[in-house]
Amino acid sequence: MHEKAERSYLLLATGLALAWLLALVLFNLWFGWDARLGDILVRQEAADRSPPQDFILIDIDQNSLDDPEMLDLAGNWPWPRAIHGELLEFLARQQPRAVIFDLIFSEPDRFRLNSDQVLEQALRRYPAYLPLVVTDGEPSRLADLPPILQARPGPRAAPDAGLPLLAPKALAPEVWRTGLINFLADEDGIGRRYWLRYPHRGWTLPAMPARVAADLGLPLPDQDTLPLHFYGQPFPRVSYARVLLESLKQSPQGLPDFKDRIVIIGGGAPGLNDLRPTPFSASTPGPTILATALANLARQDYLRPVTPLASLSLGTLLILLLARATHRQVSPLRQAAWLLLATLASIGTAYLLLHSNYQWQPFSTLLTAWLFFALCALGAYLRERLQREYALQMFGRFLDPRVVQSVTDGDIMAAAQEGSSQEITVLFSDIRGFTTLSETRPPEEIVRLLNRYFDTQVEAVFQEGGTLDKFIGDAIMAFWGAPMATPTHAPQAVRAALEMQRRLESFKLELGPLGEHFDIGIGVHTGPAVVGFLGASRRLDYTAIGDTVNLASRIEGLTKGVARILVSEATRDACDALAPGQFHFIDRGEAKVKGRERPVRLFEPRST
């Protein structure tokens, strides 16, 4: 990928990711993702949390409904309200801290006229809390509600505001010490909060936890809802039938101590339709949810949501770090490892914060970071693919196609484009007798002959991993050691020269009589040279320049009348060091070379 295009792609992806992250945090777009994964942490953390022991649930369970003695005493559900009055009378003698009914007493009992009066009289003597429910139907004007309901107007309260309320109308308003018990579900239908104050057009109605907590002198947070911090261990509970039946005896036995405890009376049997979905269960009894809210207020261990700035800061940091790493071409695997560590650390932090009653849900932020990483990885893949194609295009003319596949590293391409000094071995090969041959044959035949010859010689260069620099008329220039640095470039060049010599003999046999005067000279030298793409922007060649190249060309010119292949002393020494015993070098003495003060010692290589 072109550097400018790559930078533009990265800037665009980073900008979009940061904008999405900001919208995500401000508008809670992936609430379900955060909430459901947060539930997993809540369940894990709450596994060992025990509720306060000064709370006790009197449970109208299935055993209470099916108990033969209860059936004889109260009949089928719904029971006469006198039963609840008798239970309240018994509990009051035990001196509980508060008694809360999680049962609706909205319609008078028309078949047992005195039953409601028994409960009402008990409530007058021993005040208990009764539920209030916002429901569907005809609204009641809030300004007309009895003061005991504590409907409070705010500065901008609408005088005509009304709510359809399910109140304990079977009883006199004087005993309506009520609080709302409406189930508060989040967007996904799961109950994770409880009402403290129900707002409506400038008015507020107290929910049951707030009403009880205020009467008991417990501190209340200034908010409408309470995020629940659930307890993994069950609340102390006792069956309704057991308490009632024991209460009728002269000496009740086996009952828990109700003194100074908060007692909640409600239905847990499936048939009573008071089961609600929570993070712990799809069928959590309503009294348990109410008890959790009250216990959270009593202990002050309800959940405090961490500021959204924490998630915004985390996401911004991760995105910027990923963008920087991508720009610096850090391996996607390494980036994924770093991001995985950051993800685990964030989730671990969120879990530990629950122990301090703080709730942090960074999951959608982490998902955004992973999606951004995927975009970066896609960009890296495209960059590598285009870089590979560019390398194939640029080097395909100079290297064996099998070698080109491995020349895709960005550093190699950058070095080739800028040019760099490298230790290489240069080979020059020139045809002898070509002039005589060209004078006796038509041009078309000469071209075909040269092409066949070059095919065989270039194959020898490529076979040893060489780089074909150029054709100079009937001469070939090649080198080893670039673009991929190889320490064995000298032995490779010598092997290629020997292979070119072998192929020449085969080619001469093909020519027949024409090959009698056809020969080549090969010169090889090892040393430093500047290697890279040189030329105009429209015409670039990958080539080597410098004294090493010039000397290799001069050595090739010295082969006439001496040997078909000559190498320099530097090449001989490099072969002896890197491939000892692979070649036998015949000393052909020293020769004066144009442009050099000192003579050059030359050697003829032969295979051992």
Side-chain angles (χ1 to χ4, degrees):
M1 184 182 291
H2 190 276
E3 184 178 354
K4 185 176 181 180
E6 180 184 347
R7 188 183 301 112
S8 299
Y9 171 86
L10 186 58
L11 287 175
L12 177 62
T14 303
L16 290 175
L18 291 176
W20 166 255
L21 180 66
L22 181 61
L24 191 70
V25 171
L26 291 180
F27 303 109
N28 207 12
L29 298 178
W30 281 346
F31 169 81
W33 174 268
D34 280 328
R36 291 304 177 100
L37 291 178
D39 290 346
I40 296 175
L41 288 188
V42 166
R43 286 194 293 271
Q44 293 296 321
E45 188 270 340
D48 298 324
R49 276 173 52 84
S50 298
Q53 293 303 298
D54 55 347
F55 283 76
I56 187 168
L57 302 180
I58 296 181
D59 187 12
I60 304 176
D61 53 8
Q62 195 61 45
N63 288 334
S64 297
L65 299 177
D66 296 338
D67 187 279
E69 292 186 60
M70 281 296 297
L71 288 171
D72 290 341
L73 180 65
N76 292 321
W77 183 265
W79 295 328
R81 291 178 184 138
I83 295 293
H84 304 310
E86 293 175 6
L87 178 65
L88 179 58
E89 295 271 4
F90 171 75
L91 291 174
R93 295 194 295 270
Q94 313 305 312
Q95 300 179 338
R97 197 174 175 191
V99 176
I100 305 165
F101 280 98
D102 193 7
L103 300 169
I104 303 296
F105 304 128
S106 59
E107 297 294 333
D109 190 339
R110 302 187 183 280
F111 300 99
R112 294 162 290 202
L113 299 179
N114 294 328
S115 183
D116 292 343
Q117 295 179 1
V118 174
L119 175 58
E120 182 180 316
Q121 291 171 3
L123 288 168
R124 290 180 185 276
R125 290 192 295 271
Y126 309 107
Y129 295 91
L130 304 176
L132 188 68
V133 178
V134 177
T135 184
D136 299 323
E138 189 68 23
S140 300
R141 189 167 175 263
L142 297 180
D144 299 333
L145 294 179
I148 196 170
L149 267 63
Q150 296 187 0
R152 303 186 188 281
R156 299 182 181 179
D160 61 339
L163 283 171
L165 297 173
L166 197 61
K169 297 178 182 179
L171 308 170
E174 291 82 7
V175 299
W176 289 7
R177 194 157 60 146
T178 61
L180 286 174
I181 60 168
N182 283 74
F183 177 67
L184 178 57
D186 287 330
E187 297 172 8
D188 57 356
I190 304 298
R192 301 179 181 89
R193 298 172 294 151
Y194 210 102
W195 285 110
L196 288 179
R197 303 172 186 88
Y198 190 92
H200 180 69
R201 299 183 62 190
W203 292 75
T204 58
L205 277 172
M208 187 68 78
R211 181 73 184 265
V212 176
D215 291 346
L216 296 179
L218 301 176
L220 282 171
D222 186 19
Q223 55 199 50
D224 291 335
T225 63
L226 188 76
L228 298 176
H229 198 173
F230 288 90
Y231 302 97
Q233 304 299 317
F235 278 87
R237 69 182 60 236
V238 61
S239 171
Y240 188 107
R242 181 183 172 194
V243 177
L244 181 67
L245 295 174
E246 285 296 324
S247 70
L248 300 177
K249 297 179 181 179
Q250 187 71 26
S251 300
Q253 295 180 353
L255 294 180
D257 185 5
F258 294 102
K259 183 176 176 58
D260 294 327
R261 301 178 82 172
I262 296 175
V263 181
I264 300 175
I265 304 169
L272 300 184
N273 299 318
D274 195 15
L275 303 177
R276 301 287 184 262
T278 67
F280 275 81
S281 172
S283 54
T284 303
T288 299
I289 305 174
L290 173 59
T292 300
L294 273 168
N296 285 171
L297 289 173
R299 280 188 172 179
Q300 293 292 293
D301 63 353
Y302 53 88
L303 293 176
R304 284 88 166 166
V306 172
T307 173
L309 288 177
S311 294
L312 182 61
S313 300
L314 171 67
T316 301
L317 178 63
L318 291 177
I319 288 171
L320 292 179
L321 288 176
L322 286 170
R324 181 178 177 84
T326 301
H327 178 66
R328 294 193 168 190
Q329 298 188 13
V330 176
S331 164
L333 286 178
R334 182 174 296 180
Q335 291 187 49
W338 291 346
L339 186 55
L340 179 60
L341 288 176
T343 299
L344 294 176
S346 300
I347 294 175
T349 301
Y351 179 79
L352 293 176
L353 284 173
L354 287 172
H355 288 291
S356 300
N357 305 316
Y358 287 95
Q359 187 171 37
W360 182 36
Q361 296 178 330
F363 310 107
S364 59
T365 296
L366 293 171
L367 177 59
T368 299
W370 279 102
L371 291 176
F372 179 71
F373 164 73
L375 285 177
C376 291
L378 175 62
Y381 167 75
L382 293 176
R383 180 185 67 240
E384 183 179 348
R385 181 175 176 178
L386 291 179
Q387 185 172 286
R388 180 182 295 273
E389 292 176 354
Y390 184 57
L392 291 173
Q393 177 186 351
M394 296 300 291
F395 286 111
R397 293 177 294 157
F398 313 108
L399 297 173
D400 181 356
R402 295 167 295 181
V403 177
V404 174
Q405 295 293 331
S406 61
V407 186
T408 55
D409 184 85
D411 293 337
I412 293 177
M413 180 61 71
Q417 290 174 326
E418 295 176 3
S420 60
S421 179
Q422 296 175 249
E423 182 83 11
I424 63 172
T425 297
V426 183
L427 178 150
F428 269 91
S429 172
D430 195 8
I431 299 176
R432 302 280 183 264
F434 177 71
T435 303
T436 302
L437 188 65
S438 62
E439 291 175 348
T440 60
R441 288 289 179 266
E444 298 83 359
E445 185 177 345
I446 295 300
V447 170
R448 287 196 298 270
L449 184 148
L450 280 178
N451 285 338
R452 286 169 55 200
Y453 162 74
F454 284 140
D455 283 342
T456 63
Q457 299 295 283
V458 169
E459 181 62 29
V461 172
F462 285 167
Q463 180 177 300
E464 290 297 330
T467 300
L468 177 64
D469 188 308
K470 61 175 72 73
F471 297 107
I472 310 171
D474 58 356
I476 298 172
M477 175 184 169
F479 55 83
W480 284 256
M484 296 183 65
T486 53
T488 59
H489 50 81
Q492 287 176 287
V494 173
R495 283 197 300 270
L498 293 171
E499 178 63 17
M500 292 170 74
Q501 178 176 258
R502 188 191 67 79
R503 289 172 181 254
L504 173 67
E505 295 298 334
S506 299
F507 183 71
K508 290 177 66 173
L509 291 176
E510 292 180 19
L511 293 179
L514 292 176
E516 182 179 351
H517 300 290
F518 191 91
D519 208 342
I520 62 173
I522 300 175
V524 182
H525 176 54
T526 301
V530 175
V531 185
F533 285 103
L534 302 176
S537 58
R538 293 179 178 269
R539 182 67 170 86
L540 286 174
D541 283 319
Y542 186 69
T543 187
I545 58 175
D547 184 64
T548 296
V549 178
N550 296 334
L551 182 54
S553 177
R554 299 282 189 271
I555 293 174
E556 184 275 322
L558 295 172
T559 60
K560 295 178 182 179
V562 179
R564 186 175 283 163
I565 305 172
L566 288 176
V567 305
S568 67
E569 188 173 6
T571 301
R572 192 279 309 265
D573 293 344
C575 290
D576 287 346
L578 297 169
Q582 190 173 124
F583 309 106
H584 172 63
F585 291 95
I586 300 172
D587 191 342
R588 293 299 184 182
E590 294 182 340
K592 185 67 177 177
V593 176
K594 182 180 177 181
R596 285 178 171 262
E597 295 182 2
R598 299 178 59 184
V600 176
R601 182 171 291 277
L602 302 175
F603 297 85
E604 179 186 357
R606 294 185 181 178
S607 299
T608 56

